[in-house]
Amino acid sequence: MDLPPALLGAIAAARRPVVLSGAGMSAESGVPTFRDALDGLWSRYRPEELATPEAFAADPGLVWRWYRWRRDLVAEAKPNPGHRALVDLAGLAPGLRIITQNVDGLHQDAGSTEVIELHGNLFADICSRDRAPVSVSGETAGDEPPACPRCGAPVRPGVVWFGEFLPEAAFAEARALAAGCDLFLSIGTSSLVSPAADLAWLAMNADATIVEINPDRTPLTPHCDHVVTGPSGMVLPALVDGLRELHTTGD
């Protein structure tokens, strides 16, 4: 896959590069989207019945069983070439930070270490009362959520539900990175879901180079400096190869 030399040059010159990844990257690993997970036995439910604090308060067992089912689905997924290429890219672009809207942990499974999870992690457990992390290893297989070992409240998945704010520390760090970056790569995200979608605009206001890698056009597309149409699993390995060639030739 041929990539524009100007794009490769911009990435090679970056000193504060930031990646924002979305559901498209996970979909390439076979991770079902939130909507796709509402099929089969769960097709009669609406998201509001399964992914809100109100739903959990009304029927914690129902919500717990759905998330347990989702965990089993996602646990079968493996990092794809796009995830692995970002690990290689971090070696070629020191200081690279990844901000993700995904909750599957595939970036970390691939070997990325600097990952900010805006929407939490599907495999984490938190207290439903104070949302602090808890350890209930070996107690998550039942049809009802285990009790928080500190206060006895039901344990819930460590993800952000509809109607909830993003984790304050994670979002503050993401905003600071976007506002201070010199290169912003939007990968596999629709650029529709705020407040994550606002990060690209923060980077734009900071005069960063904006790059979009996505199979489809998004609201961000017309405002990007570089747009590469295609799946991340194809584009990112090609980008890494191009950067390695640049390093080899010294161009």
Short mmCIF file of all heavy atoms in Angstrom, two decimals, residues 177-248:
data_model
loop_
_atom_site.label_atom_id
_atom_site.label_comp_id
_atom_site.label_asym_id
_atom_site.label_seq_id
_atom_site.Cartn_x
_atom_site.Cartn_y
_atom_site.Cartn_z
N LEU A 177 -3.31 15.83 26.53
CA LEU A 177 -2.49 15.27 25.45
C LEU A 177 -2.91 15.81 24.10
O LEU A 177 -2.08 16.18 23.27
CB LEU A 177 -2.58 13.75 25.46
CG LEU A 177 -1.86 13.02 26.59
CD1 LEU A 177 -2.19 11.54 26.57
CD2 LEU A 177 -0.35 13.22 26.46
N ALA A 178 -4.23 15.86 23.86
CA ALA A 178 -4.72 16.35 22.58
C ALA A 178 -4.36 17.81 22.38
O ALA A 178 -3.97 18.24 21.29
CB ALA A 178 -6.23 16.15 22.49
N ALA A 179 -4.49 18.60 23.43
CA ALA A 179 -4.21 20.03 23.34
C ALA A 179 -2.72 20.32 23.20
O ALA A 179 -2.34 21.41 22.76
CB ALA A 179 -4.76 20.76 24.56
N GLY A 180 -1.87 19.36 23.55
CA GLY A 180 -0.43 19.57 23.50
C GLY A 180 0.29 18.77 22.43
O GLY A 180 1.52 18.83 22.33
N CYS A 181 -0.46 18.03 21.61
CA CYS A 181 0.19 17.17 20.62
C CYS A 181 0.56 17.96 19.36
O CYS A 181 0.03 19.04 19.10
CB CYS A 181 -0.69 15.98 20.27
SG CYS A 181 -2.13 16.37 19.22
N ASP A 182 1.47 17.39 18.57
CA ASP A 182 1.77 17.98 17.27
C ASP A 182 1.31 17.08 16.12
O ASP A 182 1.37 17.46 14.96
CB ASP A 182 3.26 18.30 17.13
CG ASP A 182 4.16 17.08 17.35
OD1 ASP A 182 3.63 15.98 17.58
OD2 ASP A 182 5.40 17.25 17.30
N LEU A 183 0.81 15.89 16.46
CA LEU A 183 0.24 14.96 15.48
C LEU A 183 -0.89 14.20 16.15
O LEU A 183 -0.71 13.65 17.23
CB LEU A 183 1.31 13.98 14.99
CG LEU A 183 0.82 12.90 14.02
CD1 LEU A 183 0.64 13.47 12.62
CD2 LEU A 183 1.79 11.72 13.97
N PHE A 184 -2.05 14.19 15.51
CA PHE A 184 -3.22 13.51 16.06
C PHE A 184 -3.73 12.52 15.02
O PHE A 184 -4.13 12.92 13.92
CB PHE A 184 -4.31 14.51 16.42
CG PHE A 184 -5.49 13.94 17.15
CD1 PHE A 184 -5.53 13.93 18.54
CD2 PHE A 184 -6.58 13.41 16.46
CE1 PHE A 184 -6.62 13.40 19.22
CE2 PHE A 184 -7.67 12.89 17.13
CZ PHE A 184 -7.69 12.88 18.52
N LEU A 185 -3.71 11.23 15.35
CA LEU A 185 -4.20 10.20 14.45
C LEU A 185 -5.53 9.67 14.96
O LEU A 185 -5.60 9.09 16.05
CB LEU A 185 -3.20 9.04 14.34
CG LEU A 185 -1.84 9.36 13.72
CD1 LEU A 185 -0.80 9.51 14.83
CD2 LEU A 185 -1.41 8.27 12.76
N SER A 186 -6.58 9.85 14.18
CA SER A 186 -7.91 9.34 14.50
C SER A 186 -8.09 8.04 13.73
O SER A 186 -8.12 8.04 12.49
CB SER A 186 -8.97 10.36 14.10
OG SER A 186 -10.27 9.86 14.33
N ILE A 187 -8.20 6.92 14.45
CA ILE A 187 -8.17 5.61 13.81
C ILE A 187 -9.42 4.80 14.16
O ILE A 187 -9.67 4.52 15.33
CB ILE A 187 -6.92 4.82 14.23
CG1 ILE A 187 -5.64 5.64 13.96
CG2 ILE A 187 -6.86 3.48 13.52
CD1 ILE A 187 -4.38 4.98 14.47
N GLY A 188 -10.19 4.46 13.15
CA GLY A 188 -11.33 3.57 13.35
C GLY A 188 -12.43 4.13 14.22
O GLY A 188 -13.16 3.37 14.86
N THR A 189 -12.57 5.44 14.24
CA THR A 189 -13.63 6.04 15.05
C THR A 189 -14.54 6.89 14.17
O THR A 189 -14.07 7.51 13.21
CB THR A 189 -13.06 6.89 16.20
OG1 THR A 189 -14.12 7.55 16.89
CG2 THR A 189 -12.06 7.91 15.70
N SER A 190 -15.81 6.91 14.51
CA SER A 190 -16.80 7.63 13.71
C SER A 190 -16.71 9.14 13.88
O SER A 190 -17.30 9.89 13.11
CB SER A 190 -18.21 7.16 14.07
OG SER A 190 -18.51 7.54 15.41
N SER A 191 -16.01 9.57 14.92
CA SER A 191 -15.91 11.00 15.25
C SER A 191 -17.28 11.62 15.52
O SER A 191 -17.50 12.80 15.28
CB SER A 191 -15.18 11.78 14.13
OG SER A 191 -13.87 11.32 13.98
N LEU A 192 -18.19 10.80 16.02
CA LEU A 192 -19.55 11.26 16.30
C LEU A 192 -19.86 11.35 17.79
O LEU A 192 -20.72 12.12 18.20
CB LEU A 192 -20.57 10.32 15.64
CG LEU A 192 -20.70 10.37 14.12
CD1 LEU A 192 -21.57 9.20 13.63
CD2 LEU A 192 -21.27 11.69 13.67
N VAL A 193 -19.18 10.52 18.58
CA VAL A 193 -19.53 10.39 20.00
C VAL A 193 -18.72 11.37 20.84
O VAL A 193 -17.50 11.25 20.96
CB VAL A 193 -19.30 8.95 20.49
CG1 VAL A 193 -19.68 8.84 21.96
CG2 VAL A 193 -20.11 7.97 19.65
N SER A 194 -19.38 12.35 21.37
CA SER A 194 -18.74 13.29 22.28
C SER A 194 -18.81 12.73 23.71
O SER A 194 -19.70 11.95 24.02
CB SER A 194 -19.45 14.65 22.22
OG SER A 194 -19.23 15.26 20.97
N PRO A 195 -17.85 13.11 24.55
CA PRO A 195 -16.83 14.13 24.34
C PRO A 195 -15.55 13.64 23.67
O PRO A 195 -14.67 14.44 23.38
CB PRO A 195 -16.55 14.62 25.75
CG PRO A 195 -16.79 13.43 26.61
CD PRO A 195 -17.93 12.69 25.97
N ALA A 196 -15.42 12.32 23.40
CA ALA A 196 -14.19 11.83 22.78
C ALA A 196 -13.96 12.48 21.42
O ALA A 196 -12.81 12.79 21.05
CB ALA A 196 -14.25 10.31 22.64
N ALA A 197 -15.04 12.73 20.68
CA ALA A 197 -14.90 13.33 19.35
C ALA A 197 -14.34 14.73 19.42
O ALA A 197 -13.79 15.24 18.43
CB ALA A 197 -16.25 13.34 18.65
N ASP A 198 -14.44 15.38 20.56
CA ASP A 198 -13.95 16.75 20.70
C ASP A 198 -12.42 16.81 20.78
O ASP A 198 -11.83 17.89 20.62
CB ASP A 198 -14.54 17.40 21.95
CG ASP A 198 -16.06 17.46 21.92
OD1 ASP A 198 -16.61 17.48 20.80
OD2 ASP A 198 -16.68 17.47 23.00
N LEU A 199 -11.78 15.67 21.05
CA LEU A 199 -10.33 15.68 21.21
C LEU A 199 -9.62 16.11 19.93
O LEU A 199 -8.61 16.80 19.98
CB LEU A 199 -9.85 14.29 21.66
CG LEU A 199 -10.33 13.82 23.03
CD1 LEU A 199 -9.91 12.39 23.29
CD2 LEU A 199 -9.80 14.74 24.13
N ALA A 200 -10.16 15.68 18.78
CA ALA A 200 -9.53 16.07 17.51
C ALA A 200 -9.57 17.57 17.32
O ALA A 200 -8.62 18.17 16.78
CB ALA A 200 -10.23 15.37 16.35
N TRP A 201 -10.63 18.20 17.79
CA TRP A 201 -10.75 19.65 17.64
C TRP A 201 -9.78 20.37 18.56
O TRP A 201 -9.25 21.44 18.22
CB TRP A 201 -12.19 20.08 17.90
CG TRP A 201 -13.12 19.44 16.92
CD1 TRP A 201 -13.89 18.34 17.13
CD2 TRP A 201 -13.35 19.84 15.56
NE1 TRP A 201 -14.59 18.02 15.99
CE2 TRP A 201 -14.28 18.93 15.02
CE3 TRP A 201 -12.86 20.88 14.77
CZ2 TRP A 201 -14.72 19.03 13.70
CZ3 TRP A 201 -13.31 20.98 13.47
CH2 TRP A 201 -14.23 20.05 12.94
N LEU A 202 -9.53 19.81 19.73
CA LEU A 202 -8.51 20.38 20.61
C LEU A 202 -7.14 20.34 19.94
O LEU A 202 -6.37 21.31 19.98
CB LEU A 202 -8.45 19.60 21.93
CG LEU A 202 -9.55 19.85 22.96
CD1 LEU A 202 -9.40 18.89 24.13
CD2 LEU A 202 -9.50 21.30 23.45
N ALA A 203 -6.84 19.20 19.31
CA ALA A 203 -5.57 19.06 18.60
C ALA A 203 -5.50 20.03 17.42
O ALA A 203 -4.45 20.64 17.16
CB ALA A 203 -5.39 17.63 18.12
N MET A 204 -6.61 20.19 16.73
CA MET A 204 -6.66 21.09 15.59
C MET A 204 -6.40 22.53 16.04
O MET A 204 -5.66 23.28 15.38
CB MET A 204 -8.04 20.98 14.92
CG MET A 204 -8.06 21.31 13.44
SD MET A 204 -9.71 21.01 12.75
CE MET A 204 -9.97 19.30 13.21
N ASN A 205 -6.99 22.91 17.15
CA ASN A 205 -6.79 24.27 17.67
C ASN A 205 -5.35 24.51 18.11
O ASN A 205 -4.91 25.65 18.20
CB ASN A 205 -7.74 24.52 18.84
CG ASN A 205 -9.18 24.65 18.41
OD1 ASN A 205 -9.46 24.98 17.25
ND2 ASN A 205 -10.11 24.37 19.32
N ALA A 206 -4.63 23.40 18.38
CA ALA A 206 -3.22 23.51 18.76
C ALA A 206 -2.30 23.42 17.55
O ALA A 206 -1.08 23.31 17.70
CB ALA A 206 -2.86 22.41 19.76
N ASP A 207 -2.90 23.47 16.34
CA ASP A 207 -2.15 23.42 15.08
C ASP A 207 -1.43 22.10 14.86
O ASP A 207 -0.40 22.04 14.16
CB ASP A 207 -1.13 24.57 15.00
CG ASP A 207 -1.82 25.94 14.90
OD1 ASP A 207 -2.88 26.01 14.27
OD2 ASP A 207 -1.27 26.90 15.46
N ALA A 208 -1.96 21.03 15.45
CA ALA A 208 -1.40 19.71 15.20
C ALA A 208 -1.79 19.23 13.81
O ALA A 208 -2.81 19.64 13.24
CB ALA A 208 -1.91 18.72 16.25
N THR A 209 -0.98 18.35 13.24
CA THR A 209 -1.32 17.69 11.99
C THR A 209 -2.37 16.63 12.30
O THR A 209 -2.17 15.79 13.18
CB THR A 209 -0.08 17.03 11.36
OG1 THR A 209 0.89 18.04 11.08
CG2 THR A 209 -0.44 16.29 10.09
N ILE A 210 -3.49 16.66 11.59
CA ILE A 210 -4.60 15.73 11.85
C ILE A 210 -4.63 14.66 10.76
O ILE A 210 -4.70 14.99 9.57
CB ILE A 210 -5.95 16.48 11.90
CG1 ILE A 210 -5.87 17.69 12.84
CG2 ILE A 210 -7.05 15.52 12.33
CD1 ILE A 210 -5.57 17.36 14.28
N VAL A 211 -4.60 13.42 11.18
CA VAL A 211 -4.60 12.28 10.25
C VAL A 211 -5.78 11.38 10.60
O VAL A 211 -5.97 11.03 11.76
CB VAL A 211 -3.29 11.47 10.34
CG1 VAL A 211 -3.32 10.29 9.37
CG2 VAL A 211 -2.08 12.36 10.08
N GLU A 212 -6.54 11.01 9.59
CA GLU A 212 -7.66 10.08 9.81
C GLU A 212 -7.42 8.80 9.02
O GLU A 212 -7.11 8.84 7.83
CB GLU A 212 -8.98 10.71 9.38
CG GLU A 212 -10.18 9.78 9.64
CD GLU A 212 -11.51 10.44 9.28
OE1 GLU A 212 -11.71 10.73 8.08
OE2 GLU A 212 -12.33 10.66 10.18
N ILE A 213 -7.56 7.67 9.73
CA ILE A 213 -7.47 6.35 9.10
C ILE A 213 -8.78 5.65 9.38
O ILE A 213 -9.08 5.30 10.53
CB ILE A 213 -6.28 5.55 9.66
CG1 ILE A 213 -4.96 6.28 9.37
CG2 ILE A 213 -6.25 4.14 9.09
CD1 ILE A 213 -3.75 5.67 10.07
N ASN A 214 -9.58 5.44 8.33
CA ASN A 214 -10.92 4.91 8.52
C ASN A 214 -11.45 4.42 7.17
O ASN A 214 -11.15 5.03 6.14
CB ASN A 214 -11.85 6.00 9.08
CG ASN A 214 -13.00 5.44 9.87
OD1 ASN A 214 -12.81 4.67 10.80
ND2 ASN A 214 -14.20 5.82 9.51
N PRO A 215 -12.24 3.36 7.16
CA PRO A 215 -12.80 2.91 5.88
C PRO A 215 -13.82 3.88 5.30
O PRO A 215 -14.05 3.89 4.08
CB PRO A 215 -13.47 1.57 6.23
CG PRO A 215 -12.84 1.14 7.51
CD PRO A 215 -12.53 2.41 8.24
N ASP A 216 -14.46 4.67 6.15
CA ASP A 216 -15.54 5.56 5.71
C ASP A 216 -15.24 7.00 6.09
O ASP A 216 -14.48 7.28 7.02
CB ASP A 216 -16.88 5.12 6.33
CG ASP A 216 -17.20 3.67 6.06
OD1 ASP A 216 -17.24 3.29 4.87
OD2 ASP A 216 -17.40 2.91 7.03
N ARG A 217 -15.89 7.91 5.39
CA ARG A 217 -15.80 9.32 5.75
C ARG A 217 -16.53 9.57 7.07
O ARG A 217 -17.49 8.86 7.40
CB ARG A 217 -16.42 10.19 4.64
CG ARG A 217 -15.60 10.25 3.38
CD ARG A 217 -16.29 11.12 2.33
NE ARG A 217 -16.43 12.52 2.77
CZ ARG A 217 -15.51 13.45 2.62
NH1 ARG A 217 -14.34 13.14 2.05
NH2 ARG A 217 -15.72 14.69 3.03
N THR A 218 -16.07 10.58 7.79
CA THR A 218 -16.67 10.95 9.07
C THR A 218 -16.81 12.48 9.09
O THR A 218 -16.30 13.17 8.21
CB THR A 218 -15.79 10.51 10.26
OG1 THR A 218 -14.66 11.40 10.36
CG2 THR A 218 -15.31 9.07 10.10
N PRO A 219 -17.46 13.02 10.12
CA PRO A 219 -17.52 14.49 10.22
C PRO A 219 -16.15 15.14 10.32
O PRO A 219 -16.00 16.33 10.01
CB PRO A 219 -18.33 14.71 11.50
CG PRO A 219 -19.19 13.50 11.62
CD PRO A 219 -18.32 12.37 11.12
N LEU A 220 -15.13 14.37 10.72
CA LEU A 220 -13.78 14.92 10.84
C LEU A 220 -13.06 14.99 9.49
O LEU A 220 -12.17 15.83 9.30
CB LEU A 220 -12.96 14.07 11.82
CG LEU A 220 -11.52 14.49 12.10
CD1 LEU A 220 -11.47 15.86 12.78
CD2 LEU A 220 -10.82 13.44 12.97
N THR A 221 -13.44 14.14 8.56
CA THR A 221 -12.71 13.98 7.30
C THR A 221 -12.37 15.30 6.59
O THR A 221 -11.21 15.52 6.21
CB THR A 221 -13.48 13.05 6.35
OG1 THR A 221 -13.74 11.80 7.01
CG2 THR A 221 -12.68 12.79 5.08
N PRO A 222 -13.35 16.20 6.40
CA PRO A 222 -13.03 17.43 5.64
C PRO A 222 -12.00 18.33 6.32
O PRO A 222 -11.46 19.23 5.67
CB PRO A 222 -14.39 18.14 5.54
CG PRO A 222 -15.41 17.11 5.84
CD PRO A 222 -14.77 16.17 6.80
N HIS A 223 -11.75 18.10 7.59
CA HIS A 223 -10.87 19.00 8.35
C HIS A 223 -9.47 18.41 8.55
O HIS A 223 -8.63 19.04 9.20
CB HIS A 223 -11.50 19.29 9.72
CG HIS A 223 -12.89 19.81 9.63
ND1 HIS A 223 -13.19 21.12 9.34
CD2 HIS A 223 -14.09 19.18 9.78
CE1 HIS A 223 -14.50 21.29 9.32
NE2 HIS A 223 -15.07 20.13 9.58
N CYS A 224 -9.22 17.22 8.00
CA CYS A 224 -7.95 16.55 8.22
C CYS A 224 -6.88 17.01 7.23
O CYS A 224 -7.17 17.38 6.10
CB CYS A 224 -8.12 15.03 8.08
SG CYS A 224 -9.11 14.29 9.39
N ASP A 225 -5.63 16.95 7.68
CA ASP A 225 -4.50 17.22 6.79
C ASP A 225 -4.22 16.02 5.89
O ASP A 225 -3.79 16.19 4.75
CB ASP A 225 -3.26 17.54 7.62
CG ASP A 225 -3.45 18.79 8.47
OD1 ASP A 225 -3.49 19.89 7.90
OD2 ASP A 225 -3.56 18.64 9.71
N HIS A 226 -4.46 14.82 6.42
CA HIS A 226 -4.24 13.60 5.65
C HIS A 226 -5.36 12.62 5.97
O HIS A 226 -5.70 12.42 7.14
CB HIS A 226 -2.90 12.95 6.00
CG HIS A 226 -1.71 13.83 5.77
ND1 HIS A 226 -1.14 14.02 4.52
CD2 HIS A 226 -0.98 14.59 6.64
CE1 HIS A 226 -0.12 14.85 4.63
NE2 HIS A 226 0.01 15.21 5.90
N VAL A 227 -5.93 12.01 4.94
CA VAL A 227 -6.97 11.01 5.10
C VAL A 227 -6.55 9.76 4.34
O VAL A 227 -6.24 9.82 3.14
CB VAL A 227 -8.33 11.51 4.57
CG1 VAL A 227 -9.37 10.39 4.65
CG2 VAL A 227 -8.80 12.73 5.34
N VAL A 228 -6.51 8.63 5.05
CA VAL A 228 -6.20 7.36 4.41
C VAL A 228 -7.42 6.47 4.57
O VAL A 228 -7.82 6.13 5.69
CB VAL A 228 -4.96 6.69 5.05
CG1 VAL A 228 -4.61 5.43 4.26
CG2 VAL A 228 -3.78 7.64 5.07
N THR A 229 -8.01 6.09 3.46
CA THR A 229 -9.23 5.30 3.48
C THR A 229 -8.89 3.82 3.48
O THR A 229 -8.24 3.31 2.56
CB THR A 229 -10.11 5.62 2.25
OG1 THR A 229 -10.40 7.02 2.24
CG2 THR A 229 -11.42 4.84 2.30
N GLY A 230 -9.30 3.13 4.53
CA GLY A 230 -9.02 1.71 4.63
C GLY A 230 -9.03 1.25 6.07
O GLY A 230 -9.02 2.07 6.99
N PRO A 231 -9.04 -0.05 6.29
CA PRO A 231 -9.01 -0.59 7.66
C PRO A 231 -7.64 -0.40 8.29
O PRO A 231 -6.61 -0.42 7.61
CB PRO A 231 -9.33 -2.08 7.46
CG PRO A 231 -8.87 -2.38 6.06
CD PRO A 231 -9.10 -1.13 5.27
N SER A 232 -7.65 -0.22 9.59
CA SER A 232 -6.39 0.02 10.30
C SER A 232 -5.43 -1.15 10.17
O SER A 232 -4.21 -0.97 10.16
CB SER A 232 -6.65 0.32 11.77
OG SER A 232 -7.24 -0.81 12.42
N GLY A 233 -5.97 -2.36 10.07
CA GLY A 233 -5.13 -3.55 9.96
C GLY A 233 -4.34 -3.60 8.68
O GLY A 233 -3.33 -4.33 8.58
N MET A 234 -4.74 -2.84 7.69
CA MET A 234 -4.00 -2.74 6.44
C MET A 234 -3.15 -1.47 6.40
O MET A 234 -1.98 -1.50 6.00
CB MET A 234 -4.96 -2.75 5.24
CG MET A 234 -4.27 -2.59 3.88
SD MET A 234 -5.43 -2.67 2.49
CE MET A 234 -6.33 -1.13 2.75
N VAL A 235 -3.73 -0.36 6.84
CA VAL A 235 -3.05 0.93 6.72
C VAL A 235 -1.87 1.05 7.69
O VAL A 235 -0.78 1.49 7.31
CB VAL A 235 -4.04 2.08 6.95
CG1 VAL A 235 -3.31 3.42 6.94
CG2 VAL A 235 -5.14 2.06 5.90
N LEU A 236 -2.08 0.69 8.95
CA LEU A 236 -1.03 0.92 9.95
C LEU A 236 0.23 0.10 9.70
O LEU A 236 1.34 0.64 9.82
CB LEU A 236 -1.58 0.66 11.35
CG LEU A 236 -2.57 1.72 11.85
CD1 LEU A 236 -3.18 1.30 13.18
CD2 LEU A 236 -1.88 3.08 12.00
N PRO A 237 0.14 -1.19 9.33
CA PRO A 237 1.38 -1.90 8.99
C PRO A 237 2.11 -1.26 7.81
O PRO A 237 3.35 -1.20 7.79
CB PRO A 237 0.89 -3.31 8.65
CG PRO A 237 -0.37 -3.47 9.44
CD PRO A 237 -1.01 -2.12 9.38
N ALA A 238 1.35 -0.77 6.81
CA ALA A 238 1.98 -0.10 5.68
C ALA A 238 2.66 1.19 6.12
O ALA A 238 3.75 1.54 5.64
CB ALA A 238 0.94 0.19 4.60
N LEU A 239 2.04 1.87 7.05
CA LEU A 239 2.62 3.11 7.58
C LEU A 239 3.93 2.81 8.30
O LEU A 239 4.93 3.52 8.13
CB LEU A 239 1.61 3.77 8.50
CG LEU A 239 1.87 5.19 9.00
CD1 LEU A 239 0.55 5.88 9.30
CD2 LEU A 239 2.72 5.15 10.25
N VAL A 240 3.94 1.76 9.11
CA VAL A 240 5.16 1.38 9.83
C VAL A 240 6.26 1.00 8.84
O VAL A 240 7.42 1.40 9.00
CB VAL A 240 4.86 0.22 10.80
CG1 VAL A 240 6.16 -0.38 11.33
CG2 VAL A 240 4.01 0.71 11.97
N ASP A 241 5.91 0.25 7.80
CA ASP A 241 6.90 -0.13 6.79
C ASP A 241 7.48 1.11 6.12
O ASP A 241 8.69 1.20 5.87
CB ASP A 241 6.28 -1.05 5.74
CG ASP A 241 5.97 -2.45 6.28
OD1 ASP A 241 6.54 -2.80 7.33
OD2 ASP A 241 5.17 -3.17 5.65
N GLY A 242 6.60 2.08 5.80
CA GLY A 242 7.06 3.30 5.17
C GLY A 242 8.00 4.09 6.05
O GLY A 242 9.01 4.65 5.60
N LEU A 243 7.68 4.15 7.35
CA LEU A 243 8.54 4.88 8.29
C LEU A 243 9.90 4.18 8.45
O LEU A 243 10.94 4.84 8.55
CB LEU A 243 7.86 5.00 9.64
CG LEU A 243 6.68 5.99 9.72
CD1 LEU A 243 6.01 5.89 11.07
CD2 LEU A 243 7.16 7.41 9.46
N ARG A 244 9.88 2.87 8.47
CA ARG A 244 11.15 2.13 8.59
C ARG A 244 12.03 2.39 7.37
O ARG A 244 13.24 2.53 7.49
CB ARG A 244 10.86 0.65 8.74
CG ARG A 244 10.40 0.25 10.14
CD ARG A 244 10.02 -1.19 10.24
NE ARG A 244 9.78 -1.59 11.63
CZ ARG A 244 9.05 -2.64 11.98
NH1 ARG A 244 8.48 -3.39 11.04
NH2 ARG A 244 8.86 -2.93 13.26
N GLU A 245 11.41 2.47 6.23
CA GLU A 245 12.18 2.76 5.00
C GLU A 245 12.77 4.16 5.07
O GLU A 245 13.92 4.40 4.67
CB GLU A 245 11.28 2.62 3.78
CG GLU A 245 12.03 2.74 2.46
CD GLU A 245 11.15 2.44 1.26
OE1 GLU A 245 10.07 1.82 1.47
OE2 GLU A 245 11.54 2.80 0.15
N LEU A 246 11.99 5.11 5.60
CA LEU A 246 12.50 6.46 5.77
C LEU A 246 13.71 6.49 6.68
O LEU A 246 14.72 7.15 6.40
CB LEU A 246 11.42 7.37 6.36
CG LEU A 246 10.47 8.13 5.42
CD1 LEU A 246 9.57 9.02 6.25
CD2 LEU A 246 11.26 8.95 4.41
N HIS A 247 13.62 5.74 7.78
CA HIS A 247 14.72 5.70 8.73
C HIS A 247 15.95 5.07 8.10
O HIS A 247 17.09 5.47 8.38
CB HIS A 247 14.32 4.90 9.97
CG HIS A 247 13.49 5.69 10.95
ND1 HIS A 247 14.04 6.39 11.99
CD2 HIS A 247 12.16 5.89 11.04
CE1 HIS A 247 13.09 6.99 12.69
NE2 HIS A 247 11.93 6.71 12.12
N THR A 248 15.72 4.06 7.24
CA THR A 248 16.83 3.35 6.61
C THR A 248 17.56 4.22 5.59
O THR A 248 18.79 4.27 5.53
CB THR A 248 16.33 2.07 5.92
OG1 THR A 248 15.72 1.22 6.89
CG2 THR A 248 17.48 1.32 5.26
#
